Amino acid sequence: MRILPLSIQLIHKKNLNSNRVSIPVVNVNNTLQKDTVSFSGNFLQDSYDNLENTINNQIMPFVNENKATYQALIDINNDANSVISNASEQEMTFISRKVDLQDLSQVEKSEFFTPMISRYDAYKRNLSRFNNLKNTMKGDCYSSIDIQNTLKNTQNLLFNNNPEAEKIKPLARKYKEVSANIEKYNNEKTLNASDLPLKEKLHKVNESRYQAAAYALLMPMPEIFMMLRTFKEAGKEVQHPTQSLMKTLTSVEHLQQSADSIIKDIDRYGQYSNSVNKFIEDYNNDKPSNPSKNDIEAAYDSLIKDCEKNAANEYVKLMDFYNEEYKEKGVTVDFKSFDDYLNKCKNAVDALYNKKKAVDQKIIEENNRKFFEQMGIDSSEAKDD
């Protein structure tokens, strides 16, 4: 470690009166003052020079030798991402199409059975709401005669085997069966479950993009480029100071620490350099066989057509059932009567829900009152606040 020289010296001068003790007198040495600044500057310059030597002799050779390799890894990652992106777009289109195929209300001639199915769905929703309410109203707080009568009357209304609902029930079951069959087939029809060659090719490309990214992360190129930018700025500061020397020196020391860390990363990468080069060579050799956009579209088009064919067959089964069991037998549904019944059911369930809500509110208010009493607070005053 350097020791900065003193800028002043204590020089003994003898007084003309020899009987007096000589005393130290401060004598400013201008030459030494200049040396001090120069010495400090040299200390900073030395640190900067050491850093520059580290960069030039240990880091830049790595950059010059491996920047093409690093760029090759970036290019592979981008190329593979492009292929996977094309496949992802087709996958989303495929999923959307399967959802459409499961929507039986979009089937041609669905106007014949959709009015019945939509009403039957409303009927089932009323039943479901009632059952949920009933299951949550088993406590003693809901045991009042009024609530128990409401529960009983609502249940009798909903489960009285309405004739119009009974007419629709067979079609609703067939509708549910067809929808489930289509959904099951669509769920099983995926690219991964297919025997299409595209599946294996995409899998290989996907592995390559992750491998390229992993190898690129082993190379400290981003850290090097960031350090070089900061190093350049520090060089300007050393030549033309705009801040304290200590601050600049601290910056240079931090850069030296970064350089030392980068050198360790460079040494670590050396263990993988042969594997990286082989990976790049293998990918470039296999690249012509990577799936093109047309290859991907053709494969997914084949999957979509399979799903469409299956759905069409299921649609036929539904229409045949409707024609045989309803149209040919002259079965009709009194929609007006059924709608009136559905409204009564909905209103009854709503009324039951409101009574449950009123009981729940009273329980909350009573619990709040007890809490405030325990805290020594008047609950009415708490409400006013």
Side-chain angles (χ1 to χ4, degrees):
M1 177 178 178
R2 293 172 180 264
I3 301 177
L4 299 182
L6 297 176
S7 60
I8 59 175
Q9 288 184 331
L10 295 179
I11 301 176
H12 290 277
K13 289 189 176 182
K14 291 185 177 180
N15 191 283
L16 294 176
N17 188 349
S18 59
N19 293 327
R20 294 187 178 183
V21 179
S22 63
I23 58 174
V25 179
V26 175
N27 180 40
V28 178
N29 191 321
N30 291 327
T31 303
L32 286 177
Q33 279 188 314
K34 292 179 181 179
D35 288 342
T36 300
V37 175
S38 175
F39 193 82
S40 299
N42 288 338
F43 184 76
L44 174 60
Q45 186 66 52
D46 287 346
S47 298
Y48 182 82
D49 290 343
N50 289 335
L51 173 61
E52 186 174 33
N53 288 334
T54 300
I55 292 174
N56 290 337
N57 296 325
Q58 299 186 65
I59 295 179
M60 288 310 298
F62 172 82
V63 172
N64 296 330
E65 182 181 350
N66 292 280
K67 58 184 177 182
T69 301
Y70 184 75
Q71 186 60 52
L73 292 172
I74 299 300
D75 292 342
I76 289 174
N77 183 260
N78 290 337
D79 180 68
N81 273 330
S82 177
V83 174
I84 299 303
S85 178
N86 288 334
S88 296
E89 290 178 8
Q90 292 301 312
E91 179 69 19
M92 293 305 298
T93 300
F94 180 40
I95 292 174
S96 177
R97 182 57 181 147
K98 289 196 290 188
V99 171
D100 291 341
L101 292 173
Q102 291 167 207
D103 184 1
L104 300 183
S105 66
Q106 302 301 317
V107 178
E108 186 181 359
K109 298 182 180 180
S110 63
E111 66 271 13
F112 294 114
F113 53 79
T114 295
M116 287 188 280
I117 297 301
S118 61
R119 286 173 169 82
Y120 195 80
D121 286 343
Y123 168 73
K124 297 293 286 185
R125 281 195 298 272
N126 285 331
L127 295 179
S128 179
R129 286 186 63 206
F130 172 77
N131 286 329
N132 289 336
L133 284 172
K134 183 180 178 181
N135 289 333
T136 58
M137 296 175 70
K138 294 181 178 180
D140 292 340
C141 55
Y142 306 109
S143 61
S144 69
I145 295 177
D146 178 47
I147 287 182
Q148 291 303 310
N149 286 337
T150 302
L151 272 167
K152 182 178 180 181
N153 293 335
T154 304
Q155 181 167 319
N156 290 337
L157 176 64
L158 267 65
F159 294 90
N160 71 344
N161 293 327
N162 179 272
E164 306 310 316
E166 292 301 313
K167 291 178 185 177
I168 299 174
K169 185 182 291 185
L171 178 63
R173 287 176 175 172
K174 188 64 178 180
Y175 187 95
K176 184 177 181 180
E177 176 189 322
V178 167
S179 179
N181 288 342
I182 294 174
E183 183 178 8
K184 182 175 183 295
Y185 187 89
N186 288 349
N187 288 341
E188 294 174 350
K189 204 67 179 178
T190 64
L191 182 67
N192 286 335
S194 71
D195 295 328
L196 296 172
L198 176 68
K199 175 183 67 175
E200 296 300 330
K201 290 183 178 180
L202 286 177
H203 179 70
K204 188 174 182 179
V205 171
N206 194 44
E207 284 188 335
S208 294
R209 70 167 175 159
Y210 286 120
Q211 190 65 63
Y215 279 144
L217 288 174
L218 288 174
M219 306 180 73
M221 291 297 189
E223 294 86 349
I224 292 174
F225 297 146
M226 184 180 299
M227 187 200 66
L228 290 177
R229 285 195 296 270
T230 309
F231 173 72
K232 185 177 180 180
E233 294 171 0
K236 294 179 181 178
E237 187 63 34
V238 170
Q239 296 300 320
H240 304 286
T242 62
Q243 58 189 15
S244 69
L245 295 178
M246 182 58 68
K247 186 174 183 180
T248 303
L249 179 61
T250 301
S251 298
V252 173
E253 289 175 345
H254 287 166
L255 283 172
Q256 184 66 57
Q257 292 173 359
S258 298
D260 293 341
S261 177
I262 287 171
I263 291 171
K264 292 180 180 179
D265 292 336
I266 290 174
D267 293 339
R268 189 180 303 113
Y269 171 76
Q271 306 172 29
Y272 301 93
S273 59
N274 291 335
S275 298
V276 172
N277 292 331
K278 186 176 186 308
F279 166 75
I280 295 172
E281 181 181 359
D282 291 344
Y283 184 88
N284 289 331
N285 290 336
D286 294 339
K287 184 176 178 180
S289 63
N290 284 351
S292 66
K293 186 175 182 179
N294 290 336
D295 294 335
I296 296 171
E297 289 178 353
Y300 274 100
D301 186 57
S302 175
L303 292 171
I304 290 174
K305 286 181 178 178
D306 282 346
C307 290
E308 288 176 340
K309 183 179 179 181
N310 172 73
N313 291 335
E314 292 295 332
Y315 297 158
V316 170
K317 294 177 184 179
L318 180 62
M319 291 307 303
D320 287 346
F321 181 86
Y322 172 78
N323 289 330
E324 293 171 4
E325 300 298 326
Y326 289 83
K327 191 174 181 180
E328 293 177 5
K329 293 181 179 181
V331 176
T332 58
V333 177
D334 186 344
F335 290 137
K336 184 178 183 307
S337 173
F338 196 36
D339 286 343
D340 290 342
Y341 170 72
L342 291 175
N343 286 332
K344 288 179 182 178
C345 291
K346 182 180 182 303
N347 291 336
V349 175
D350 287 344
L352 180 62
Y353 170 77
N354 289 332
K355 289 187 177 184
K356 176 184 181 300
K357 185 178 180 181
V359 172
D360 294 342
Q361 185 61 37
K362 287 183 179 180
I363 293 174
I364 292 173
E365 291 175 355
E366 179 63 18
N367 288 337
N368 287 339
R369 183 187 65 77
K370 291 180 179 179
F371 171 77
F372 285 121
E373 284 181 355
Q374 292 175 353
M375 299 296 293
I377 303 173
D378 189 335
S379 59
S380 60
E381 293 178 359
K383 289 181 181 179
D384 292 339
D385 292 342

